[in-house]
Each structure stands twice: as C-alpha cells, then as structure tokens.
C-alpha cells in the first residue's frame, strides 16, 4: 500500500464540476488501476472575482447515491476560506466544486 499526499486545484464555474473521482479497480488498463481510498484533509477557496460569489463544495457518495455539501457560503471579494475536515472517500466517490471565478484547492491523502 502506498500513501501519497496530493493537492488538486481548480477554477470554479457557474455549474458544479467534478474535480476528483476516487479510483476504482480496473484490471483492463495497463498497468492495472488499483482501487484507492482518499482521506480529505482541507479545502481552501479564494475569491478575486471583484464581487461576492457563492462557493459550493460537495461530496458525492457513489455507494449510497447521496451528495453532501461541505461548503455552501457566499464569499466577498478578496476573501479566503479554509475548511479543515477529515472525510473518507471510497472508490467512485467524487468531489464537486461550483463558483464562477473562485479558486479551489483540495488537499488529501490517497491510499492505494
């Protein structure tokens, strides 16, 4: 098993966009894709858009078809937001972000 600390960044749009899908096992690829678990550590959001924008971050739990909002908050211009959390994501789970012009950064540990 390998533990890797990672970060993914994205610029938000007006629609919810998937920025991370936890890897599922796929033996047909070369090399085979190993199943993963992700431990979400923190999410930072910054607003340099010039006006207030609503930031949304959600986790889609693929095993139960439930979407949970972690962040749903209006951010004024030049306002940063840091959310420290510990969430465990399993194979197929997704992280989605939404917010026109907002910058999102998600830090996590991937366990393969």
């Amino acid at each position: 098993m390998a533990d890797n600390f990672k970060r993914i960044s994205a610029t938000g749009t007006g629609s919810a966009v998937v920025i991370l899908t936890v890897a599922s096992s796929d033996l047909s690829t070369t090399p085979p894709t190993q199943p993963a678990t992700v431990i979400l550590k923190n999410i930072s959001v910054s607003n340099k858009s010039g006006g207030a924008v609503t930031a949304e971050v959600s986790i889609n739990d693929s095993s139960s078809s439930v979407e949970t909002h972690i962040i749903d908050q209006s951010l004024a211009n030049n306002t940063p937001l840091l959310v420290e959390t510990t969430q465990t994501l399993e194979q197929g789970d997704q992280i989605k972000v939404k917010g026109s012009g907002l910058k999102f950064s998600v830090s996590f540990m991937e366990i393969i």
Side-chain angles (χ1 to χ4, degrees), residues 16 18 35 38 40-41 47 53 55 59 66 73 75 93 100 102 112:
V18 175
V38 165
L40 184 60
K41 296 304 295 173
N47 182 6
V53 178
I59 294 175
V66 172
Q73 180 175 335
L75 294 178
D93 290 354
S100 291
L102 299 179
I112 299 174

Side-chain angles (χ1 to χ4, degrees), residues 29-66:
T29 61
T30 305
T33 302
Q34 298 295 317
T37 299
V38 165
I39 299 174
L40 184 60
K41 296 304 295 173
N42 65 54
I43 302 165
S44 62
V45 185
S46 64
N47 182 6
K48 297 285 188 179
S49 69
V53 178
T54 299
E56 294 181 23
V57 178
S58 61
I59 294 175
N60 183 23
D61 184 343
S62 65
S63 64
S64 63
S65 299
V66 172

Side-chain angles (χ1 to χ4, degrees), residues 9 21 31 37 39 46 48 52 58 61 67 71 82 84 110:
S9 300
T21 301
T37 299
I39 299 174
S46 64
K48 297 285 188 179
S58 61
D61 184 343
E67 188 166 318
I71 298 172
L82 176 64
E84 294 187 25
E110 181 180 57

Side-chain angles (χ1 to χ4, degrees), residues 16-21 93-97:
V17 176
V18 175
I19 63 167
L20 176 69
T21 301
D93 290 354
Q94 298 177 325
I95 298 175
K96 297 178 183 179
V97 298

